[in-house]
Amino acid sequence: MIRNEVLRNMKTRFSCRKYKPDPVEKEKLEAVLDAARYAANGHNAQAWHFTVITTEEGKRELRDAVGPEPEGFRKLAPEGAVWPFPSDFFGAPVVIMISYDPKTPWPDAGAFLAAGNIMNAAQSLGLSSCALTVYSKDVFCTEETAGSRAKFIPEGYELYLTLVLGYPAVTPETRPARRENTETWL
Ligand SMILES: Cc1cc2nc3c(=O)[nH]c(=O)nc-3n(C[C@H](O)[C@H](O)[C@H](O)COP(=O)(O)O)c2cc1C
């Protein structure tokens, strides 16, 4: 198997669910967001937007929009996984919300590829990340929360994914097993 630094980085990235409180240096955050902007995207629309939350106030506002643990949340977890409701964002100092203009081609693909770049770039800088379903999509869908929307999501855009990011307080001894037989070669 060929090995190089990029491949090693991709294979050591993991979804981190416990972070150190240490802030992330601005230049590292800028490097991560710059990597996001180089993701492939439909028709080169680049119609993504990254809302970077580093303040407790910003995190509180987002958490308030979601409210207490939503019903059925635990059912979202894959079998065997423990997904506590991450009301503290797993202690991560940074939250990044990725929204995209839904009027452009394949907006979800652009948002998710940008998320992949963020995760891999973060890993290469000694940071970790995790996607958080409960803070993604429809966060501001109620009447009470609609007022906060403009602060987090540009007009006409839709939220596709929210990530947390920071220095990991844990390193997994093992990674989730990867499925075999997922290829067809012709
Ligand atoms: C779209 C998406 C949503 C996810 N949502 C959550 C989540 O809400 N909570 C969580 O703990 N992990 C979440 N994850 C992380 C996955 O569980 C994780 O990527 C998967 O188990 C593989 O593990 P790894 O990332 O450590 O390789 C999410 C991942 C993706 C791509």
Side-chain angles (χ1 to χ4, degrees), residues 13-17 73 78 82-83 86 90 112 119 130-134 161 175-176 178:
R13 180 213 56 81
F14 68 100
S15 291
C16 179
R17 297 178 177 92
F73 166 71
V82 179
W83 279 11
F90 296 141
F112 277 90
M119 291 173 154
C130 188
L132 289 187
T133 310
V134 75
L161 195 63
R175 304 291 324 284
R178 261 40 198 182

Side-chain angles (χ1 to χ4, degrees), residues 41-72:
N41 61 98
H43 281 211
N44 195 28
Q46 299 183 38
W48 35 48
H49 186 83
F50 307 100
T51 304
V52 184
I53 308 170
T54 57
T55 61
E56 287 311 311
E57 193 191 336
K59 283 184 237 172
R60 196 177 320 116
E61 201 166 336
L62 176 57
R63 187 170 47 234
D64 287 351
V66 172
E69 179 172 322
E71 205 177 324

Side-chain angles (χ1 to χ4, degrees), residues 1 3 6-14 120 175:
M1 182 81 74
R3 292 172 203 274
V6 174
L7 296 170
R8 192 197 62 78
N9 186 66
M10 286 174 165
K11 290 179 75 170
T12 48
R13 180 213 56 81
F14 68 100
N120 285 314
R175 304 291 324 284

